[in-house]
Amino acid sequence: RLSTLFTAKAMDTKFTPVESGIGGALIGLSALVAYQADGKITGISGILGPFLKSVVKCEAGAQLWKLYFLLGLVLGGLINYGFNAPFAFPGPEPFTMARYVVAGFSLGLGTRFQRGCTSGHGICGLPRFSKRSWLAVPLFMLFAGLVVYLTRHVMETGEHKAGIAPLQWPPSWEFALCTVAASLLLAALSFSPLPGSA
């Protein structure tokens, strides 16, 4: 069956406060750099959607920064995969292909209806005190929690370990190396002069 190609062992999630905290700070810093540079909001759905539309209309010239941004996301993921694959890519949950399709479709519709995704609303919208973001973020976090509760505890789908995830300590040396490199790159970008500035 086709669905068996997309199944794997359930993730053994670890509690990683250091990696998660530093990773969150780097995401926020990158959003600040983009906003500081030219006022761009780094919402992924707001970047990908208009870029694909401009490609279809053969007007991608003015949207090239979005292509570079998306390529940076892919490149960063590949670098992370090379250094830290077991932690960063633990494999998918053992769900059927149909379930993944429905989830992706629902996610796509939700981002279009609320005009933004978790990055646009949560990382960029909340700090700017956007009313739409302050409504969207609590709602999608609430519904995410409800879905997890219903599927794990009411419907009891899949095999899930009870209790709190174990602490992963100490962080791997690959994480420290990638963190320092990313921090230096973002610092260089944030202090570099803008194109056309005197």
Side-chain angles (χ1 to χ4, degrees):
R1 295 172 60 183
L2 181 63
S3 61
T4 59
L5 297 175
F6 297 90
T7 59
K9 292 178 65 177
M11 289 188 294
D12 186 16
T13 305
K14 297 283 195 298
F15 176 49
T16 56
V18 175
E19 293 94 330
S20 301
I22 294 176
L26 288 174
I27 291 172
L29 183 57
S30 65
L32 173 65
V33 169
Y35 192 71
Q36 177 188 19
D38 51 10
K40 298 290 193 267
I41 301 297
T42 51
I44 307 306
S45 63
I47 290 173
L48 179 61
F51 174 73
L52 293 177
K53 188 183 295 184
S54 68
V55 169
V56 171
K57 293 182 177 180
C58 298
E59 301 172 351
Q63 306 286 333
L64 277 181
W65 75 269
K66 295 180 179 180
L67 173 63
Y68 299 146
F69 183 87
L70 295 169
L71 288 176
L73 286 179
V74 174
L75 181 61
L78 291 175
I79 292 172
N80 195 14
Y81 180 80
F83 278 99
N84 204 13
F87 170 75
F89 299 88
E93 289 277 3
F95 299 143
T96 63
M97 184 64 177
R99 187 167 177 176
Y100 279 112
V101 169
V102 170
F105 183 75
S106 302
L107 183 64
L109 278 181
T111 58
R112 297 320 296 163
F113 286 155
Q114 70 177 7
R115 298 181 57 92
C117 58
T118 52
S119 55
H121 282 304
I123 299 170
C124 301
L126 293 181
R128 294 184 304 111
F129 297 104
S130 165
K131 293 178 182 177
R132 187 170 62 211
S133 297
W134 279 92
L135 176 64
V137 172
L139 282 177
F140 65 64
M141 293 299 289
L142 171 66
F143 277 93
L146 285 175
V147 167
V148 170
Y149 176 77
L150 289 174
T151 55
R152 290 194 174 195
H153 303 291
V154 178
M155 299 167 59
E156 296 183 355
T157 59
E159 296 180 6
H160 303 284
K161 295 181 180 178
I164 299 174
L167 175 67
Q168 177 174 307
W169 190 264
S172 64
W173 69 268
E174 294 93 344
F175 170 77
L177 177 66
C178 290
T179 299
V180 170
S183 300
L184 291 174
L185 177 61
L186 285 172
L189 289 173
S190 63
F191 291 108
S192 61
L194 299 178
S197 60

